[in-house]
Amino acid sequence: VRDVTGAGDSLAGVTISRLIEGLDLVSAVRHGIAAASLTVESENVVADFSPADIERRLAEITNPIGA
């Protein structure tokens, strides 16, 4: 963890965005959690990540190495 600033905003923003796009609540929250995890690892004040980055993080969370 580098900085927790903005993690909650990322969680909320991505979750709401995914709900608007039609994802179910659980899937939308998973996307939000993935975005928040990218945010806390960022060295930037405003985390810069793409939807593809979120998808990669989801894959890591869902299928951790060694699980």
Side-chain angles (χ1 to χ4, degrees):
V1 174
R2 297 193 176 169
D3 189 352
V4 298
T5 304
D9 295 331
S10 291
L11 172 65
V14 170
T15 299
I16 292 167
S17 173
R18 295 303 190 258
L19 286 169
I20 290 169
E21 291 172 357
L23 260 61
D24 63 279
L25 180 60
V26 172
S27 296
V29 170
R30 286 183 181 167
H31 280 82
I33 291 169
S37 73
L38 290 167
T39 300
V40 300
E41 293 177 0
S42 176
E43 293 179 353
N44 301 321
V45 174
V46 177
D48 183 21
F49 52 83
S50 69
D53 295 327
I54 294 173
E55 292 298 328
R56 279 191 292 278
R57 180 53 54 92
L58 275 173
E60 293 170 5
I61 293 169
T62 306
N63 304 306
I65 296 172

